Amino acid sequence: MRRRGSACRARLSASVALAVLAVAPQALHGQGVEALSSACVTGGAIRIRCTELAVTARALQGHLGLLSGPGSEVSGSASTLGRRLGATPRIAIEARASFAKLALPDLADPGEEPSRESTFIVPVLRGGVTAGIFDGFSLLPTVGGFLGVDVLVHGSIAFLPTGEGFDAKATALTVGARIGILRESFTLPGVSVSVVRRWIGGVQYGSLDTGGGSVEVDPAVTSIRATVGKDLLSIGVLGGIGWDRYSGHATIRAASDGGPVLANVDSFKSSRRLIFGGAAMNFLVLQMSGEIGWAQGFHAVEGYSYKPFDPTSGTWYGSIAFRLTI
């Protein structure tokens, strides 16, 4: 029996590993910082300013993507919901308040040297609904939930500080699914992988009126999360890893002696990994949970000094959520 249990756990571990590898993003093909900066230089602006604006556009794209979906896709949960009775789906309604500490070049501080760094904390409100539509398969009497399916729809609003140079709040819509690898039982944790798509409204940062320039992005994000968790009486813990792919249109406007220079790319792409962990308190159908996480920075760019702003630095984020499951 011990050998059989060990073999079962090995197969489950292999299944999780294969699922994560299957959804992990491969190398990106598209235009990035270098292409956007080169288009700006070709237009007549000085290289150091163009590079800084392109680096800012990539950082802003990543920040907006993170704000639209920090941490686990369904708060405080690593197992798929499953159905309630017969074909009736189990429904989870959640409200989440989150934050992220962001850093960007201060485009109101133009000059021959890189601009100073501007840091600020952005609050976000998020709400949504998740429905369990398939229970999954039972591999053994106490091992179930394999390939269970949840579908989810979330919306969020990030309160970007207009005093820091933003033109508006950032709204986002998230649609996707969560696939069960293992439903939590008395002896085993819950494991799932979610794949979602996020659409974020366009945001502008900076202004030509300050003498430096501005950037504008309208990101779309493909987000993947692998989560594992276990309840210990009324307290639950979870952790996970994730990948975000960012894409969309990016525009920069740079001040120059010959007048404003506009440059844009239609397929502005980047990606990064993140980690998160948290705990939850369960009260029958109501749950309160909290999470904290870290998203890595982006790759270095030739010709940018990384001082004071360092685009390779990561970003901390956190959230508190309430979830009602019926």
Side-chain angles (χ1 to χ4, degrees), residues 25 71 223-227 240-244 272-276 294 296 317:
S223 290
I224 301 169
R225 304 284 188 266
T227 308
I241 58 175
W243 298 265
D244 282 350
R272 64 176 171 181
R273 296 177 177 86
L274 53 88
I275 59 174
F276 55 89
W294 179 83
Q296 71 175 173
Y317 60 91

Side-chain angles (χ1 to χ4, degrees), residues 165-257:
F166 293 97
D167 67 334
K169 302 178 181 68
T171 57
L173 173 67
T174 297
V175 177
R178 186 168 61 156
I179 309 300
I181 306 300
L182 184 65
R183 179 174 294 121
E184 181 182 348
S185 65
F186 181 76
T187 57
L188 296 174
V191 183
S192 64
V193 175
S194 62
V195 181
V196 305
R197 184 71 169 172
R198 313 187 201 281
W199 294 272
I200 306 169
V203 172
Q204 180 176 310
Y205 171 65
S207 172
L208 284 171
D209 296 337
T210 63
S214 67
V215 303
E216 185 175 353
V217 295
D218 58 346
V221 188
T222 299
S223 290
I224 301 169
R225 304 284 188 266
T227 308
V228 56
K230 186 76 172 69
D231 285 342
L232 307 172
L233 299 179
S234 61
I235 304 295
V237 294
L238 64 78
I241 58 175
W243 298 265
D244 282 350
R245 282 184 173 183
Y246 312 108
S247 61
H249 190 83
T251 300
I252 60 177
R253 296 174 176 84
S256 70
D257 294 338

Side-chain angles (χ1 to χ4, degrees), residues 4-5 8-9 11-12 137-144:
R4 179 178 295 180
C8 177
R9 285 191 291 271
R11 287 195 296 269
L12 289 171
F137 301 100
S138 180
L139 304 180
L140 290 172
T142 60
V143 181

